[in-house]
Amino acid sequence: MAVTDKLTALDVMRDAPVIPVIVLHDVKDAIPLARALVAGGIRMLEVTLRTPQALQCIEAIAKDVPEAVAGAGTIRSAADAQASALAGARFGVSPGYTRSVGKACRDLGLPLLPGVATGSEIMTAQEDGYTQLKFFPALQAGGLPMLKAWQGPFGDVTFCPTGGIHVGNAAEFLALSNVACVGGSWIVPAEAIREGNWALIEQLARAATTLARSAA
């Protein structure tokens, strides 16, 4: 089942300064969470495939919150990509990159932000046509100094650093010319989801949209 719209990976990156990295354990939380994020100005929602309920959550958001753009994170195989597209995901994010995942997403018409942590991985993804990439795990793989070092040899690549990004350091990453957005979980705290504190999540999302960025 192919994604029928014309969404691109760059569209996903440019929509807001932050892509929330969402872990959902209960399908009942998916719709109110998505509505809170959209109300706060965040539409691109990365629901990670880390729980058994993730695909059902993506499906619920896709069906009942049309203003949101449901995406699937933690895509690690072609099967993950196929299941995500069937559930209604409109983009995918992977923690690493394999050519089989890249091909599956291309065949499905599913925009992909492949995860990279080294120059060789960037080159492999580029060979397959991917130039909008997730830098993961950002802090552990070199953080700001690594992204600055890549500005020269990979000046045609745009990154979404994810992993260790929080409200205290997001602005530093967004100030880099090769960073279009960041991925983070601070706007979707697990405790707030458990408590159904959607007002707090809306507030955190709204604050995240005010972060300035260089490569928007």
Side-chain angles (χ1 to χ4, degrees):
M1 175 181 175
V3 176
T4 56
D5 61 27
K6 300 297 183 182
L7 189 73
T8 68
L10 197 56
D11 292 332
V12 174
M13 292 176 117
R14 285 177 168 168
D15 200 66
V18 182
I19 297 175
V21 179
I22 301 166
V23 180
L24 286 169
H25 296 275
D26 195 324
V27 179
K28 73 174 175 58
D29 294 327
I31 292 171
L33 173 67
R35 287 176 175 159
L37 289 166
V38 169
I42 302 288
R43 299 189 307 157
M44 302 294 166
L45 313 183
E46 179 190 341
V47 179
T48 62
L49 302 183
R50 300 181 191 176
T51 68
Q53 300 81 14
L55 290 170
Q56 289 176 275
C57 292
I58 290 169
E59 185 174 8
I61 294 168
K63 285 183 176 178
D64 293 327
V65 193
E67 317 94 294
V69 180
T74 325
I75 290 178
R76 299 189 302 164
S77 66
D80 284 345
Q82 291 159 0
S84 299
L86 283 169
R90 294 171 61 192
F91 68 94
V93 184
S94 60
Y97 181 70
T98 66
R99 292 200 142 131
S100 62
V101 166
K103 182 179 186 303
C105 289
R106 279 197 309 276
D107 291 347
L108 289 161
L110 188 70
L112 176 68
L113 295 179
V116 299
T118 68
S120 296
E121 291 168 356
I122 294 171
M123 290 167 66
T124 300
Q126 277 194 293
E127 283 181 0
D128 292 345
Y130 291 100
T131 56
Q132 285 82 43
L133 308 177
K134 167 182 172 176
F135 176 36
F136 178 80
L139 286 195
Q140 296 86 341
L144 291 164
M146 183 67 81
L147 285 164
K148 290 175 182 177
W150 281 342
Q151 286 173 331
F154 301 115
D156 54 345
V157 176
T158 308
F159 294 97
C160 171
T162 306
I165 311 298
H166 52 77
V167 68
N169 64 10
E172 293 180 278
F173 284 89
L174 289 165
L176 297 179
S177 62
N178 56 350
V179 171
C181 65
V182 299
S185 58
W186 82 87
I187 59 176
V188 284
E191 184 177 359
I193 295 173
R194 282 195 304 270
E195 295 176 353
N197 192 347
W198 312 123
L200 173 60
I201 288 173
E202 179 182 340
Q203 177 185 341
L204 292 170
R206 186 170 286 110
T209 64
T210 67
L211 290 167
R213 48 186 170 167
S214 172

